[in-house]
Amino acid sequence: MRRREFIRTAVAAGAVAALASCGCPAGPGAATRKGGRDRMRLRYSPYEVQLAHTFTVASYSRNVTPDVQVEIEYDGYVGYGEASMPPYLGHTVESVTAFLSKVNLEQFADPFCLEDILSYVDSLSEGDAPAKAAVDIALHDLVGKLLGQPLYRLWGYDPAKAPATSFTIGIDTADVVRRKTLECAGKYKVLKLKVGLDNDEEMVNTVRSVTDLPLVVDANQGWTDRQKALDEIFWLSSMGVRMVEQPMPCERIDDIAWITERSPVPIIADEGIQRLRDLPGIRGAYSGINIKLMKCTGLREAGRMISYARAEGMKVMLGCMTETSCATTAAAHLSPAADFADLDGNLLISNDRFEGMTVEGGIIRLPDRPGLGLIKL
Ligand code: MG
């Protein structure tokens, strides 16, 4: 039986069990046996993501996002991954490609050894989360393709439970906010407003002059006085805002906990956390966490963060960067496990390379093709 046929047969017998007991060779360097098996080959190339509109949040404006596209080829299949680097996290095309140049996947004989491979990738440096996420996403895509199954199915998620995604409107003049709201109000069920400068009230009133859709807001650490922030949150709640993301600078954790205790709506950590190891440090300070693959090193760690958050009674939001449908679709495969999804990064760009997740009537629709289910455009 050919390898691909064998693997597909294994899926029918239980894909998750097959993954859990793959009999991986022990660690880097151990998988050097001969026998004609293919080896994983990693490729990467810079890609500048073009934004459809200038994007402004409380701390910056920009028109492009640097990005690196990644492929892992094995046994005739190609897994796609992506590193997207918004400026506030400090990563660059140079730092990502320098990291990827150190990654040697050819030492691993079996791409199903996700634990070993991704632990090795993580061990190569302390940071470099977007570069690690790119490898993680490509490897998951590859494994899904080898098994002939979409990722959500391997993880046991019902795609019908994928949530609505919010669509983000950046900070702008009243005219532009009104125009953008008119453009998107009929297509989405939730709008996300960036606030945190001195025109929050105008932004919200402008949106409310156009639509009654539920809103979520992201202050991107922009509020500095906790009492004023709480007063604004109560007003926002009265205006139909259902959730507030990162109200104050993340180092002001005692003030954020004070707000969370009194807030009528959930307070979600974004800049305040990156990885699983950050979560014990925010216990009690927020109602939930915004998990982004580019912050947390990818799908493997994101799944663990979801489990941790649930154990702590926290809400789960899945976010993204401005990126192609590759990374956004990867996060979307986890979305049936989330309370809030903000997976619109691919919708905010003008040069997407893939067709992947779609949004129908505001709801995330997952492709049912193997792996991420991407079609290269
Ligand atoms: Mg945010």
Side-chain angles (χ1 to χ4, degrees):
M1 187 181 290
R2 292 178 62 238
R3 175 177 172 76
R4 286 177 211 171
E5 290 162 353
F6 168 77
I7 290 168
R8 290 203 173 112
T9 306
V11 172
V16 174
L19 272 172
S21 58
C22 61
C24 300
T32 53
R33 65 187 169 196
K34 300 195 184 348
R37 264 185 156 184
D38 197 6
R39 298 288 175 181
M40 286 180 282
R41 289 180 298 283
L42 176 69
R43 296 188 290 267
Y44 48 90
S45 56
Y47 188 72
E48 190 172 75
V49 169
Q50 310 282 335
L51 307 190
H53 301 285
T54 300
F55 193 67
T56 301
V57 303
S59 51
Y60 59 81
S61 292
R62 66 177 197 273
N63 293 302
V64 298
T65 301
D67 186 284
V68 175
Q69 297 282 311
V70 166
E71 295 181 1
I72 300 175
E73 185 169 357
Y74 176 84
D75 200 19
Y77 291 88
V78 176
Y80 296 111
E82 172 177 21
S84 170
M85 291 85 73
Y88 75 92
L89 288 176
H91 306 286
T92 62
V93 168
E94 291 72 27
S95 69
V96 169
T97 53
F99 178 87
L100 293 173
S101 72
K102 293 188 287 188
V103 176
N104 173 16
L105 296 184
E106 296 194 21
Q107 66 187 303
F108 294 96
D110 189 343
F112 288 86
C113 295
L114 292 164
E115 291 295 323
D116 288 353
I117 298 167
L118 294 174
S119 294
Y120 152 75
V121 171
D122 199 17
S123 75
L124 291 174
S125 74
E126 181 62 25
D128 295 299
K132 291 172 182 176
V135 177
D136 168 284
I137 294 166
L139 193 57
H140 279 88
D141 187 30
L142 177 68
V143 163
K145 284 171 173 165
L146 288 165
L147 289 168
Q149 296 294 330
L151 288 181
Y152 68 78
R153 193 146 188 241
L154 295 180
W155 295 328
Y157 294 137
D158 179 355
K161 291 183 177 165
T165 179
S166 50
F167 184 82
T168 302
I169 297 175
I171 296 171
D172 222 314
T173 63
D175 281 349
V176 175
V177 168
R178 187 177 298 108
R179 180 169 52 78
K180 285 185 180 173
T181 307
L182 280 168
E183 278 173 19
C184 66
K187 300 180 194 167
Y188 300 94
K189 291 184 179 299
V190 186
L191 299 182
K192 173 170 164 175
L193 304 187
K194 294 289 192 177
V195 296
L197 294 184
D198 54 8
N199 66 339
D200 294 356
E201 215 168 300
E202 183 188 27
M203 287 270 299
V204 173
N205 284 327
T206 302
V207 171
R208 275 288 168 255
S209 72
V210 177
T211 178
D212 292 328
L213 280 177
L215 306 176
V216 297
V217 303
D218 187 354
N220 287 109
Q221 313 186 79
W223 297 330
T224 53
D225 181 299
R226 72 180 191 182
Q227 185 62 56
K228 280 188 186 166
L230 185 64
D231 292 345
E232 179 158 349
I233 290 167
F234 270 96
W235 177 74
L236 288 167
S237 173
S238 75
M239 297 296 286
V241 168
R242 306 282 177 84
M243 176 269 276
V244 173
E245 207 178 317
Q246 203 63 52
M248 295 184 73
C250 51
E251 63 273 14
R252 301 268 299 272
I253 192 159
D254 291 341
D255 291 329
I256 294 167
W258 183 89
I259 290 171
T260 298
E261 200 178 330
R262 292 159 178 79
S263 172
V265 296
I267 304 295
I268 305 291
D270 184 1
E271 289 88 341
I273 53 116
Q274 294 200 10
R275 302 190 54 171
L276 179 64
R277 64 188 177 213
D278 302 325
L279 300 190
I282 62 155
R283 180 175 290 140
Y286 295 87
S287 326
I289 55 172
N290 185 349
I291 301 171
K292 294 177 179 172
L293 300 183
M294 297 302 143
K295 292 193 303 184
C296 79
T297 73
L299 293 162
R300 172 171 169 263
E301 180 130 337
R304 291 175 178 175
M305 292 173 77
I306 292 172
S307 299
Y308 184 99
R310 293 309 187 198
E312 290 283 341
M314 299 182 91
K315 295 197 176 297
V316 170
M317 173 178 183
L318 280 171
C320 61
M321 306 300 181
T322 41
E323 58 201 15
T324 74
S325 286
C326 177
T328 308
T329 301
H333 278 270
L334 287 169
S335 70
D339 300 295
F340 303 103
D342 182 33
L343 298 177
D344 60 351
N346 56 334
L347 305 172
L348 299 170
I349 74 171
S350 59
N351 61 338
D352 204 348
R353 298 182 69 226
F354 299 97
E355 180 187 320
M357 66 159 272
T358 56
V359 179
E360 292 173 21
I363 306 291
I364 293 170
R365 291 286 171 244
L366 293 168
D368 60 3
R369 297 175 291 270
L372 295 173
L374 300 173
I375 296 173
K376 205 169 177 185
L377 299 174

PDB file of all heavy atoms in Angstrom, residues 167-192:
ATOM      1  N   PHE A 167     -15.955  42.978  12.072  1.00  0.00           N
ATOM      2  CA  PHE A 167     -15.219  43.662  11.012  1.00  0.00           C
ATOM      3  C   PHE A 167     -14.734  44.981  11.594  1.00  0.00           C
ATOM      4  O   PHE A 167     -15.499  45.711  12.222  1.00  0.00           O
ATOM      5  CB  PHE A 167     -16.114  43.906   9.789  1.00  0.00           C
ATOM      6  CG  PHE A 167     -15.377  44.530   8.635  1.00  0.00           C
ATOM      7  CD1 PHE A 167     -14.627  43.753   7.779  1.00  0.00           C
ATOM      8  CD2 PHE A 167     -15.425  45.911   8.431  1.00  0.00           C
ATOM      9  CE1 PHE A 167     -13.928  44.319   6.710  1.00  0.00           C
ATOM     10  CE2 PHE A 167     -14.737  46.484   7.368  1.00  0.00           C
ATOM     11  CZ  PHE A 167     -13.989  45.686   6.504  1.00  0.00           C
ATOM     12  N   THR A 168     -13.451  45.283  11.380  1.00  0.00           N
ATOM     13  CA  THR A 168     -12.819  46.398  12.085  1.00  0.00           C
ATOM     14  C   THR A 168     -12.889  47.706  11.306  1.00  0.00           C
ATOM     15  O   THR A 168     -12.580  47.741  10.108  1.00  0.00           O
ATOM     16  CB  THR A 168     -11.350  46.061  12.373  1.00  0.00           C
ATOM     17  OG1 THR A 168     -11.304  44.867  13.154  1.00  0.00           O
ATOM     18  CG2 THR A 168     -10.668  47.193  13.149  1.00  0.00           C
ATOM     19  N   ILE A 169     -13.278  48.741  12.028  1.00  0.00           N
ATOM     20  CA  ILE A 169     -13.234  50.098  11.474  1.00  0.00           C
ATOM     21  C   ILE A 169     -12.198  50.881  12.269  1.00  0.00           C
ATOM     22  O   ILE A 169     -12.330  51.035  13.482  1.00  0.00           O
ATOM     23  CB  ILE A 169     -14.617  50.773  11.558  1.00  0.00           C
ATOM     24  CG1 ILE A 169     -15.611  49.986  10.695  1.00  0.00           C
ATOM     25  CG2 ILE A 169     -14.539  52.233  11.113  1.00  0.00           C
ATOM     26  CD1 ILE A 169     -17.034  50.484  10.785  1.00  0.00           C
ATOM     27  N   GLY A 170     -11.157  51.344  11.600  1.00  0.00           N
ATOM     28  CA  GLY A 170     -10.071  52.063  12.271  1.00  0.00           C
ATOM     29  C   GLY A 170     -10.494  53.477  12.665  1.00  0.00           C
ATOM     30  O   GLY A 170     -11.559  53.972  12.267  1.00  0.00           O
ATOM     31  N   ILE A 171      -9.640  54.112  13.452  1.00  0.00           N
ATOM     32  CA  ILE A 171      -9.902  55.494  13.871  1.00  0.00           C
ATOM     33  C   ILE A 171      -9.783  56.408  12.659  1.00  0.00           C
ATOM     34  O   ILE A 171      -8.805  56.317  11.908  1.00  0.00           O
ATOM     35  CB  ILE A 171      -8.901  55.911  14.964  1.00  0.00           C
ATOM     36  CG1 ILE A 171      -9.100  55.048  16.211  1.00  0.00           C
ATOM     37  CG2 ILE A 171      -9.050  57.395  15.291  1.00  0.00           C
ATOM     38  CD1 ILE A 171      -8.032  55.240  17.266  1.00  0.00           C
ATOM     39  N   ASP A 172     -10.795  57.247  12.456  1.00  0.00           N
ATOM     40  CA  ASP A 172     -10.753  58.114  11.272  1.00  0.00           C
ATOM     41  C   ASP A 172     -11.703  59.284  11.454  1.00  0.00           C
ATOM     42  O   ASP A 172     -12.342  59.416  12.500  1.00  0.00           O
ATOM     43  CB  ASP A 172     -11.128  57.290  10.020  1.00  0.00           C
ATOM     44  CG  ASP A 172     -10.216  57.643   8.850  1.00  0.00           C
ATOM     45  OD1 ASP A 172     -10.017  58.854   8.631  1.00  0.00           O
ATOM     46  OD2 ASP A 172      -9.719  56.738   8.188  1.00  0.00           O
ATOM     47  N   THR A 173     -11.811  60.111  10.439  1.00  0.00           N
ATOM     48  CA  THR A 173     -12.751  61.232  10.495  1.00  0.00           C
ATOM     49  C   THR A 173     -14.178  60.705  10.428  1.00  0.00           C
ATOM     50  O   THR A 173     -14.426  59.582   9.973  1.00  0.00           O
ATOM     51  CB  THR A 173     -12.534  62.189   9.317  1.00  0.00           C
ATOM     52  OG1 THR A 173     -12.818  61.448   8.112  1.00  0.00           O
ATOM     53  CG2 THR A 173     -11.098  62.691   9.254  1.00  0.00           C
ATOM     54  N   ALA A 174     -15.113  61.536  10.874  1.00  0.00           N
ATOM     55  CA  ALA A 174     -16.519  61.112  10.899  1.00  0.00           C
ATOM     56  C   ALA A 174     -16.994  60.707   9.506  1.00  0.00           C
ATOM     57  O   ALA A 174     -17.713  59.710   9.342  1.00  0.00           O
ATOM     58  CB  ALA A 174     -17.389  62.227  11.470  1.00  0.00           C
ATOM     59  N   ASP A 175     -16.583  61.451   8.496  1.00  0.00           N
ATOM     60  CA  ASP A 175     -17.022  61.134   7.131  1.00  0.00           C
ATOM     61  C   ASP A 175     -16.554  59.749   6.692  1.00  0.00           C
ATOM     62  O   ASP A 175     -17.318  58.970   6.106  1.00  0.00           O
ATOM     63  CB  ASP A 175     -16.488  62.179   6.143  1.00  0.00           C
ATOM     64  CG  ASP A 175     -17.324  63.450   6.177  1.00  0.00           C
ATOM     65  OD1 ASP A 175     -18.410  63.409   6.802  1.00  0.00           O
ATOM     66  OD2 ASP A 175     -16.890  64.465   5.596  1.00  0.00           O
ATOM     67  N   VAL A 176     -15.270  59.468   6.961  1.00  0.00           N
ATOM     68  CA  VAL A 176     -14.726  58.169   6.552  1.00  0.00           C
ATOM     69  C   VAL A 176     -15.363  57.039   7.359  1.00  0.00           C
ATOM     70  O   VAL A 176     -15.717  55.987   6.814  1.00  0.00           O
ATOM     71  CB  VAL A 176     -13.182  58.152   6.715  1.00  0.00           C
ATOM     72  CG1 VAL A 176     -12.624  56.769   6.410  1.00  0.00           C
ATOM     73  CG2 VAL A 176     -12.548  59.194   5.808  1.00  0.00           C
ATOM     74  N   VAL A 177     -15.537  57.257   8.666  1.00  0.00           N
ATOM     75  CA  VAL A 177     -16.163  56.226   9.501  1.00  0.00           C
ATOM     76  C   VAL A 177     -17.588  55.956   9.015  1.00  0.00           C
ATOM     77  O   VAL A 177     -18.019  54.804   8.921  1.00  0.00           O
ATOM     78  CB  VAL A 177     -16.148  56.657  10.985  1.00  0.00           C
ATOM     79  CG1 VAL A 177     -17.042  55.749  11.827  1.00  0.00           C
ATOM     80  CG2 VAL A 177     -14.715  56.651  11.519  1.00  0.00           C
ATOM     81  N   ARG A 178     -18.308  57.013   8.679  1.00  0.00           N
ATOM     82  CA  ARG A 178     -19.681  56.844   8.180  1.00  0.00           C
ATOM     83  C   ARG A 178     -19.684  56.040   6.884  1.00  0.00           C
ATOM     84  O   ARG A 178     -20.468  55.103   6.720  1.00  0.00           O
ATOM     85  CB  ARG A 178     -20.333  58.212   7.952  1.00  0.00           C
ATOM     86  CG  ARG A 178     -21.823  58.122   7.583  1.00  0.00           C
ATOM     87  CD  ARG A 178     -22.457  59.495   7.424  1.00  0.00           C
ATOM     88  NE  ARG A 178     -22.437  60.275   8.639  1.00  0.00           N
ATOM     89  CZ  ARG A 178     -21.654  61.338   8.858  1.00  0.00           C
ATOM     90  NH1 ARG A 178     -20.853  61.781   7.900  1.00  0.00           N
ATOM     91  NH2 ARG A 178     -21.672  61.976   9.997  1.00  0.00           N
ATOM     92  N   ARG A 179     -18.767  56.381   5.982  1.00  0.00           N
ATOM     93  CA  ARG A 179     -18.699  55.676   4.687  1.00  0.00           C
ATOM     94  C   ARG A 179     -18.336  54.199   4.882  1.00  0.00           C
ATOM     95  O   ARG A 179     -18.968  53.309   4.319  1.00  0.00           O
ATOM     96  CB  ARG A 179     -17.670  56.359   3.780  1.00  0.00           C
ATOM     97  CG  ARG A 179     -17.523  55.717   2.413  1.00  0.00           C
ATOM     98  CD  ARG A 179     -16.698  56.574   1.460  1.00  0.00           C
ATOM     99  NE  ARG A 179     -15.409  56.984   1.999  1.00  0.00           N
ATOM    100  CZ  ARG A 179     -14.339  56.193   2.067  1.00  0.00           C
ATOM    101  NH1 ARG A 179     -14.415  54.953   1.651  1.00  0.00           N
ATOM    102  NH2 ARG A 179     -13.190  56.648   2.555  1.00  0.00           N
ATOM    103  N   LYS A 180     -17.327  53.945   5.722  1.00  0.00           N
ATOM    104  CA  LYS A 180     -16.922  52.555   5.947  1.00  0.00           C
ATOM    105  C   LYS A 180     -18.041  51.753   6.615  1.00  0.00           C
ATOM    106  O   LYS A 180     -18.257  50.584   6.299  1.00  0.00           O
ATOM    107  CB  LYS A 180     -15.668  52.502   6.827  1.00  0.00           C
ATOM    108  CG  LYS A 180     -14.386  52.899   6.101  1.00  0.00           C
ATOM    109  CD  LYS A 180     -13.195  52.690   7.008  1.00  0.00           C
ATOM    110  CE  LYS A 180     -11.902  53.070   6.327  1.00  0.00           C
ATOM    111  NZ  LYS A 180     -10.756  53.031   7.273  1.00  0.00           N
ATOM    112  N   THR A 181     -18.731  52.384   7.545  1.00  0.00           N
ATOM    113  CA  THR A 181     -19.823  51.684   8.234  1.00  0.00           C
ATOM    114  C   THR A 181     -20.943  51.346   7.246  1.00  0.00           C
ATOM    115  O   THR A 181     -21.489  50.238   7.255  1.00  0.00           O
ATOM    116  CB  THR A 181     -20.377  52.543   9.388  1.00  0.00           C
ATOM    117  OG1 THR A 181     -19.298  52.927  10.227  1.00  0.00           O
ATOM    118  CG2 THR A 181     -21.383  51.761  10.208  1.00  0.00           C
ATOM    119  N   LEU A 182     -21.267  52.292   6.378  1.00  0.00           N
ATOM    120  CA  LEU A 182     -22.294  52.035   5.365  1.00  0.00           C
ATOM    121  C   LEU A 182     -21.885  50.884   4.458  1.00  0.00           C
ATOM    122  O   LEU A 182     -22.705  50.036   4.083  1.00  0.00           O
ATOM    123  CB  LEU A 182     -22.535  53.296   4.519  1.00  0.00           C
ATOM    124  CG  LEU A 182     -23.427  54.362   5.149  1.00  0.00           C
ATOM    125  CD1 LEU A 182     -23.346  55.669   4.352  1.00  0.00           C
ATOM    126  CD2 LEU A 182     -24.876  53.868   5.224  1.00  0.00           C
ATOM    127  N   GLU A 183     -20.588  50.840   4.113  1.00  0.00           N
ATOM    128  CA  GLU A 183     -20.081  49.780   3.224  1.00  0.00           C
ATOM    129  C   GLU A 183     -20.223  48.396   3.835  1.00  0.00           C
ATOM    130  O   GLU A 183     -20.496  47.421   3.145  1.00  0.00           O
ATOM    131  CB  GLU A 183     -18.593  50.019   2.917  1.00  0.00           C
ATOM    132  CG  GLU A 183     -18.323  51.027   1.817  1.00  0.00           C
ATOM    133  CD  GLU A 183     -16.836  51.319   1.705  1.00  0.00           C
ATOM    134  OE1 GLU A 183     -16.011  50.528   2.198  1.00  0.00           O
ATOM    135  OE2 GLU A 183     -16.505  52.361   1.142  1.00  0.00           O
ATOM    136  N   CYS A 184     -19.999  48.301   5.159  1.00  0.00           N
ATOM    137  CA  CYS A 184     -19.900  46.961   5.745  1.00  0.00           C
ATOM    138  C   CYS A 184     -21.097  46.566   6.606  1.00  0.00           C
ATOM    139  O   CYS A 184     -21.224  45.392   6.974  1.00  0.00           O
ATOM    140  CB  CYS A 184     -18.605  46.824   6.544  1.00  0.00           C
ATOM    141  SG  CYS A 184     -18.547  47.874   7.989  1.00  0.00           S
ATOM    142  N   ALA A 185     -21.975  47.501   6.917  1.00  0.00           N
ATOM    143  CA  ALA A 185     -23.037  47.202   7.883  1.00  0.00           C
ATOM    144  C   ALA A 185     -23.945  46.065   7.424  1.00  0.00           C
ATOM    145  O   ALA A 185     -24.434  45.286   8.236  1.00  0.00           O
ATOM    146  CB  ALA A 185     -23.861  48.456   8.161  1.00  0.00           C
ATOM    147  N   GLY A 186     -24.171  45.935   6.121  1.00  0.00           N
ATOM    148  CA  GLY A 186     -25.049  44.878   5.638  1.00  0.00           C
ATOM    149  C   GLY A 186     -24.373  43.517   5.547  1.00  0.00           C
ATOM    150  O   GLY A 186     -25.046  42.499   5.374  1.00  0.00           O
ATOM    151  N   LYS A 187     -23.040  43.499   5.674  1.00  0.00           N
ATOM    152  CA  LYS A 187     -22.301  42.244   5.459  1.00  0.00           C
ATOM    153  C   LYS A 187     -21.908  41.543   6.747  1.00  0.00           C
ATOM    154  O   LYS A 187     -21.530  40.373   6.713  1.00  0.00           O
ATOM    155  CB  LYS A 187     -21.013  42.543   4.683  1.00  0.00           C
ATOM    156  CG  LYS A 187     -21.215  43.169   3.320  1.00  0.00           C
ATOM    157  CD  LYS A 187     -19.840  43.390   2.689  1.00  0.00           C
ATOM    158  CE  LYS A 187     -19.923  44.308   1.488  1.00  0.00           C
ATOM    159  NZ  LYS A 187     -18.587  44.769   1.081  1.00  0.00           N
ATOM    160  N   TYR A 188     -21.931  42.250   7.873  1.00  0.00           N
ATOM    161  CA  TYR A 188     -21.418  41.683   9.128  1.00  0.00           C
ATOM    162  C   TYR A 188     -22.457  41.782  10.229  1.00  0.00           C
ATOM    163  O   TYR A 188     -23.375  42.588  10.165  1.00  0.00           O
ATOM    164  CB  TYR A 188     -20.123  42.398   9.545  1.00  0.00           C
ATOM    165  CG  TYR A 188     -19.057  42.247   8.483  1.00  0.00           C
ATOM    166  CD1 TYR A 188     -18.878  43.216   7.504  1.00  0.00           C
ATOM    167  CD2 TYR A 188     -18.285  41.097   8.419  1.00  0.00           C
ATOM    168  CE1 TYR A 188     -17.939  43.054   6.495  1.00  0.00           C
ATOM    169  CE2 TYR A 188     -17.344  40.919   7.420  1.00  0.00           C
ATOM    170  CZ  TYR A 188     -17.170  41.903   6.465  1.00  0.00           C
ATOM    171  OH  TYR A 188     -16.259  41.722   5.465  1.00  0.00           O
ATOM    172  N   LYS A 189     -22.272  40.939  11.257  1.00  0.00           N
ATOM    173  CA  LYS A 189     -23.197  40.935  12.388  1.00  0.00           C
ATOM    174  C   LYS A 189     -22.637  41.692  13.592  1.00  0.00           C
ATOM    175  O   LYS A 189     -23.360  41.976  14.548  1.00  0.00           O
ATOM    176  CB  LYS A 189     -23.499  39.493  12.809  1.00  0.00           C
ATOM    177  CG  LYS A 189     -24.334  38.730  11.789  1.00  0.00           C
ATOM    178  CD  LYS A 189     -24.670  37.363  12.337  1.00  0.00           C
ATOM    179  CE  LYS A 189     -25.530  36.574  11.359  1.00  0.00           C
ATOM    180  NZ  LYS A 189     -26.813  37.216  11.077  1.00  0.00           N
ATOM    181  N   VAL A 190     -21.328  41.943  13.581  1.00  0.00           N
ATOM    182  CA  VAL A 190     -20.653  42.660  14.677  1.00  0.00           C
ATOM    183  C   VAL A 190     -19.613  43.584  14.057  1.00  0.00           C
ATOM    184  O   VAL A 190     -18.873  43.166  13.164  1.00  0.00           O
ATOM    185  CB  VAL A 190     -19.910  41.690  15.625  1.00  0.00           C
ATOM    186  CG1 VAL A 190     -19.358  42.447  16.829  1.00  0.00           C
ATOM    187  CG2 VAL A 190     -20.799  40.549  16.078  1.00  0.00           C
ATOM    188  N   LEU A 191     -19.532  44.815  14.534  1.00  0.00           N
ATOM    189  CA  LEU A 191     -18.476  45.723  14.083  1.00  0.00           C
ATOM    190  C   LEU A 191     -17.521  45.989  15.239  1.00  0.00           C
ATOM    191  O   LEU A 191     -17.944  46.076  16.391  1.00  0.00           O
ATOM    192  CB  LEU A 191     -19.071  47.047  13.581  1.00  0.00           C
ATOM    193  CG  LEU A 191     -20.017  46.948  12.387  1.00  0.00           C
ATOM    194  CD1 LEU A 191     -20.474  48.355  11.981  1.00  0.00           C
ATOM    195  CD2 LEU A 191     -19.361  46.242  11.206  1.00  0.00           C
ATOM    196  N   LYS A 192     -16.240  46.091  14.897  1.00  0.00           N
ATOM    197  CA  LYS A 192     -15.233  46.410  15.914  1.00  0.00           C
ATOM    198  C   LYS A 192     -14.692  47.805  15.633  1.00  0.00           C
ATOM    199  O   LYS A 192     -14.230  48.086  14.526  1.00  0.00           O
ATOM    200  CB  LYS A 192     -14.106  45.380  15.865  1.00  0.00           C
ATOM    201  CG  LYS A 192     -12.921  45.710  16.775  1.00  0.00           C
ATOM    202  CD  LYS A 192     -11.971  44.534  16.848  1.00  0.00           C
ATOM    203  CE  LYS A 192     -10.621  44.930  17.409  1.00  0.00           C
ATOM    204  NZ  LYS A 192      -9.731  43.768  17.593  1.00  0.00           N
TER     205      LYS A 192
END
